[in-house]
Structures are given as structure tokens and as C-alpha cells.
Amino acid sequence: NQLLDLQHLDFQKLVDLINDSVVFLEKAAGVLPDDATVQIHLAQAYKAAGRNEEAMASLTSINETTAQKAQLQEARALLKELN
């Protein structure tokens, strides 16, 4: 029984960490909306939180003319995972 409580606690810490990351990255995206790295990290956090539609929206907001090639490749790969 104690083992189950510890597993739940670890899982809850992970959920809290993901949710905290989403909040932080949403704020960063609000300040830096054109930063592809921020949008990719926000999409990854959304994906981890099970918020796939928001993850896809974050990725599709990336400006292809200002993003670096590696960022675009990472965004496209993540989009594939979400579809």
C-alpha cells in the first residue's frame, strides 16, 4: 500500500511539473510569439499534458521565413507525432 502511495506521489509530481511548464511557456510565448524555440517547447509541454490540439496550434504558428531549418524539421516531426 505504501508503494502505491509513492508511485502516485511521483506521478502527481510529474503532472504538476508538466502543468507548471505549460504555464511558464505560455507566458514566454506571449512575450516572444515569433520565437520558434519557445513555440516548439510549448508544443512539447502541451503534448505531455495531453493537449494535442493546442500543441498543433503552437507548431503551426511558427513563421517559416524566420525559423531556422532545424527548428522547422523539429516542428514538422512533432506535428507528425500529433497526427
Side-chain angles (χ1 to χ4, degrees), residues 12-40:
Q12 189 57 50
K13 284 183 181 179
L14 179 60
V15 169
D16 291 344
L17 181 61
I18 291 168
N19 289 333
D20 290 347
S21 297
V22 167
V23 169
F24 174 81
L25 289 163
E26 285 174 335
K27 289 178 184 177
V31 175
L32 302 166
D34 296 327
D35 188 312
T37 299
V38 172
Q39 294 298 333
I40 290 168

Side-chain angles (χ1 to χ4, degrees), residues 1-82:
N1 193 12
Q2 187 178 11
L3 179 61
L4 291 176
D5 290 342
L6 290 175
Q7 289 174 339
H8 175 71
L9 179 63
D10 289 345
F11 179 75
Q12 189 57 50
K13 284 183 181 179
L14 179 60
V15 169
D16 291 344
L17 181 61
I18 291 168
N19 289 333
D20 290 347
S21 297
V22 167
V23 169
F24 174 81
L25 289 163
E26 285 174 335
K27 289 178 184 177
V31 175
L32 302 166
D34 296 327
D35 188 312
T37 299
V38 172
Q39 294 298 333
I40 290 168
H41 289 292
L42 178 57
Q44 290 167 332
Y46 280 144
K47 180 183 175 204
R51 296 166 62 176
N52 291 354
E53 287 184 25
E54 290 163 288
M56 289 188 287
S58 182
L59 293 169
T60 57
S61 75
I62 294 173
N63 185 335
E64 292 194 22
T65 59
T66 59
Q68 297 176 2
K69 185 177 179 178
Q71 292 170 319
L72 292 173
Q73 290 172 336
E74 187 175 1
R76 288 182 186 124
L78 189 50
L79 272 170
K80 268 187 168 178
E81 291 175 24
L82 292 165

